Amino acid sequence: MHKKYFHKYWYVLILFWLALPGLALAQKASIKTADKRLETIFEDDKPKPRVLLLGVFHFAGEQVDANTTPANLRVDMLSAERQKQIEHLVHQLAAFKPTKIVIEDSPRRQHYYDSLYNAFKAGKLPAGKAAWPADETIQLAFRLAKLMNHETLYPADAQAFRFKLSHQDSILTFEKYKDQGDSSYTYWDKAYEAEKAYEDSLNFHLPLNEYLRYLNSPQRQAKAIGRWLVTTKRGSNTEPIGADGFVTRYFNRNVRIYSNIQRIVTSKHDRILVIYGATHMYLLKQLFEASPEFIVEDVMKYLN
C-alpha cells in the first residue's frame, strides 16, 4: 500500500475509534428517547390498575395434596409460631392497600365464598372439609380482606379448554405417543422430584416470609414452567402433541385466569392482589407486564 494511503487509512481508523464513545452515547440517548416516547403513547404516566402477584403453596398441605410431603416435613400452619408469621405477612400485604383480592377457585363458587367469608368475619367458620381452617384462602386472603374492610373476594380460576376438545384432537392423539421413548423425561422427572424434596425441607425450616421470597423469585418461577417445556417435544413434526398440550392446558388455563382478573377491574385506581399457586406466577407475570392496562408491583418489598 502506498505510504500516503496507508497514513490516510490509519487516520480514518483513529477518528472512528475516537468517535465510538460518542456513538454509543448517541445510541443510548436514542433508545432512551424511544422508550420515553412509548411510555407517552401508552400513557404509562397516568393512573392504571396496579397488580401484586403473590405465589403461595397450599397452606392446608396434605388435605389438598395428598401424600406429597413426608410426614416429618409437613407444616402445621395453625401452630402458634406459624400463626404469628401469617399475621405478620397479612400486615405486610396490607401496605399494598389492595382494593380487590383474587383467590384460586372458580368464579362459579362466588356465592360459596361470600357465605364462607361472612361466616369468617362473624367468627362462625363451619367445621369439616368444606372449609379447611389452614387453607391459604382463609388464613391469608380472608384475614387481609377483613382487615381492609372488603365486602367480598374474587375467585378467578379457570379450566383449560383441552378438556373440551374432541377425543381425536386430544386424548387419542396423546395416547398414541404416551410410550414415546426419550431419556430426558426420566432424567428431568428425577430432577423435579429432587426439587420438590428440597422445597419441602425449605418450607418446613424457613419462616413463612422467607419461603415465599424463594417461591416468588424469578429463577424459581422459571424452573416451574420448565417442567412443562420438557414435554413439548412429545409427538412428531406432523402431530406435535407435546406443544399442543402445553398450549391447550398450561398456557390456556393461565391466559383464562388472566382474562378473569381483567374483568374484575372497575377503576383505574384498583389495586389488585392475586394470591395464587406459585407455579402459575411465571406466566401470569409475563401477561400482566406485557399488558398496557396494568402496572405490576414488586412483590418482594412486601415479603420482608
Side-chain angles (χ1 to χ4, degrees):
M1 181 183 291
H2 192 279
K3 187 175 181 180
K4 179 177 70 172
Y5 293 109
F6 179 80
H7 288 159
K8 185 177 181 180
Y9 170 77
W10 279 106
Y11 177 71
V12 171
L13 280 180
I14 291 170
L15 287 177
F16 179 74
W17 180 76
L18 291 172
L20 280 177
L23 290 171
L25 287 173
Q27 185 181 28
K28 287 181 181 178
S30 178
I31 293 172
K32 188 174 181 180
T33 301
D35 288 342
K36 287 291 183 183
R37 178 58 182 152
L38 281 178
E39 290 174 4
T40 302
I41 291 172
F42 289 101
E43 299 184 334
D44 291 340
D45 59 331
K46 294 183 179 180
K48 293 183 180 182
R50 290 184 174 266
V51 177
L52 187 67
L53 300 167
L54 176 64
V56 296
F57 61 97
H58 288 305
F59 284 15
E62 297 305 300
Q63 293 175 304
V64 177
D65 292 327
N67 303 315
T68 60
T69 304
N72 64 317
L73 293 178
R74 293 175 187 174
V75 179
D76 179 10
M77 298 305 289
L78 298 179
S79 69
E81 182 60 29
R82 291 293 181 172
Q83 286 291 296
K84 286 181 185 178
Q85 294 172 9
I86 292 171
E87 194 67 25
H88 174 74
L89 177 59
V90 166
H91 283 87
Q92 290 289 97
L93 294 172
F96 172 63
K97 299 180 181 178
T99 60
K100 293 182 171 74
I101 299 174
V102 172
I103 57 176
E104 187 175 351
D105 212 317
S106 170
R108 294 175 180 170
R109 287 173 36 102
Q110 182 71 62
H111 178 73
Y112 165 75
Y113 275 102
D114 285 343
S115 175
L116 197 61
Y117 178 51
N118 287 331
F120 173 83
K121 289 190 292 183
K124 298 178 181 178
L125 201 64
K129 187 176 179 180
W132 291 314
D135 188 87
E136 64 270 16
T137 297
I138 293 172
Q139 288 295 319
L140 194 53
F142 278 15
R143 282 192 189 192
L144 181 57
K146 182 179 179 181
L147 180 65
M148 306 302 296
N149 294 316
H150 290 189
E151 293 184 4
T152 190
L153 294 93
Y154 297 85
D157 205 17
Q159 284 297 321
F161 74 72
R162 179 178 189 268
F163 299 106
K164 294 184 179 180
L165 294 174
S166 73
H167 289 294
Q168 282 71 25
D169 287 336
S170 59
I171 297 173
L172 291 183
T173 309
F174 187 81
E175 285 293 309
K176 179 178 176 180
Y177 292 100
K178 71 175 183 178
D179 297 322
Q180 185 178 30
D182 191 313
S183 60
S184 69
Y185 299 145
T186 302
Y187 176 84
W188 290 116
D189 277 346
K190 288 182 179 179
Y192 278 101
E193 286 171 8
E195 180 206 37
K196 176 63 171 62
Y198 174 65
E199 289 186 351
D200 285 341
S201 180
L202 281 182
N203 191 12
F204 186 80
H205 291 101
L206 290 179
L208 177 61
N209 66 314
E210 290 188 31
Y211 184 59
L212 291 182
R213 286 183 69 85
Y214 163 76
L215 287 184
N216 286 274
S217 68
Q219 183 182 22
R220 192 274 176 187
Q221 290 180 351
K223 287 290 187 293
I225 197 174
R227 186 160 202 166
W228 283 90
L229 295 175
V230 169
T231 67
T232 54
K233 67 169 78 78
R234 282 193 185 276
S236 67
N237 289 349
T238 56
E239 292 179 317
I241 188 61
D244 292 346
F246 175 80
V247 171
T248 58
R249 295 186 70 181
Y250 182 83
F251 186 81
N252 177 251
R253 182 185 175 193
N254 283 286
V255 175
R256 285 185 166 193
I257 293 167
Y258 166 77
S259 70
N260 285 343
I261 298 171
Q262 277 182 300
R263 283 186 282 272
I264 75 171
V265 174
T266 56
S267 167
K268 61 186 179 182
H269 299 291
D270 270 336
R271 302 178 65 84
I272 302 170
L273 171 62
V274 180
I275 301 175
Y276 241 78
T279 55
H280 294 273
M281 286 305 170
Y282 180 85
L283 189 50
L284 285 178
K285 187 176 181 182
Q286 305 304 310
L287 294 170
F288 277 107
E289 287 184 339
S291 171
E293 297 182 305
F294 298 95
I295 295 173
V296 180
E297 291 248 357
D298 181 8
V299 71
M300 290 301 184
K301 68 181 182 181
Y302 300 98
L303 295 178
N304 295 321

